[in-house]
Amino acid sequence: MLTIKKHALKIGALALAMGITFAACSDDDDNPTPAPGRTKEYKLTKSATDATQVGTITLSENTDSSVNLAITLKASAKDIKHPFYLIGGTVAAPVTDTLTKDTLVGNGAEATKVIWNKIKTVVVNGSTRKFNFDSALKINAFAKVRYSATKDSTIAIGNILKSVAQ
């Protein structure tokens, strides 16, 4: 009888330990890790007729639903401010809307500039509107980079966002 009680006590202790172990491994986390944000990358080429890739435009989503848009040129001219334009429409059918105008300072090598950083809202016709990754994908636009403000030669161009054929 004493042997049975010893075995029952051991089995009970083992069952209790396993129950605690399985409870600790529960997949019901109170603070789940947010899923990584989405990203889309768009190719920039030398020209509308030369498909040699010279850079990229990257749209990325942050965990707080804000968005970033960054441009990277594979090569840039040192100390030259390359004008950058985000224009409505497509490379083949541009419209007169310049959505963003900025510069990317060349460093003699690969150069990157964040154009939108953690954008959550935009102002359209005087009204502030919520803006997120899905909103950005609805913009019909293309990117164009010139060599400099005084030399009007395009060094990178490409359809981005909605203008890219799905």
Side-chain angles (χ1 to χ4, degrees):
M1 182 82 122
L2 188 57
T3 308
I4 294 173
K5 284 185 180 178
K6 281 185 178 179
H7 288 297
L9 188 57
K10 288 180 183 176
I11 290 173
L14 180 62
L16 181 62
M18 292 195 58
I20 291 171
T21 301
F22 288 128
C25 293
S26 170
D27 59 345
D28 298 341
D29 291 339
D30 290 335
N31 296 316
T33 305
R38 298 174 283 178
T39 350
K40 272 199 161 280
E41 189 172 274
Y42 305 95
K43 180 178 168 180
L44 294 177
T45 60
K46 275 187 172 181
S47 70
T49 57
D50 185 343
T52 303
Q53 185 171 355
V54 295
T56 58
I57 298 278
T58 304
L59 174 69
S60 59
E61 177 181 44
N62 301 306
T63 54
D64 65 354
S65 297
S66 63
V67 293
N68 305 330
L69 188 70
I71 180 172
T72 301
L73 293 179
K74 289 183 177 182
S76 63
K78 187 167 177 56
D79 300 327
I80 298 291
K81 290 182 179 178
H82 301 292
F84 163 80
Y85 303 89
L86 186 63
I87 303 168
T90 65
V91 171
V95 296
T96 57
D97 299 336
T98 298
L99 307 172
T100 300
K101 180 181 177 183
D102 206 337
T103 58
L104 177 110
V105 179
N107 58 15
E110 182 174 283
T112 299
K113 174 144 189 190
V114 176
I115 301 155
W116 297 339
N117 187 25
K118 297 184 179 181
I119 299 296
K120 289 184 175 184
T121 60
V122 293
V123 177
V124 178
N125 296 328
S127 298
T128 301
R129 296 185 183 172
K130 182 180 171 186
F131 191 74
N132 58 27
F133 191 85
D134 294 321
S135 303
L137 292 176
K138 293 177 183 175
I139 298 172
N140 203 23
F142 70 98
K144 179 179 180 179
V145 183
R146 292 182 18 212
Y147 179 78
S148 72
T150 58
K151 186 176 179 182
D152 189 20
S153 74
T154 301
I155 60 171
I157 195 165
N159 288 323
I160 63 172
L161 307 171
K162 185 179 176 183
S163 293
V164 176
Q166 300 297 327

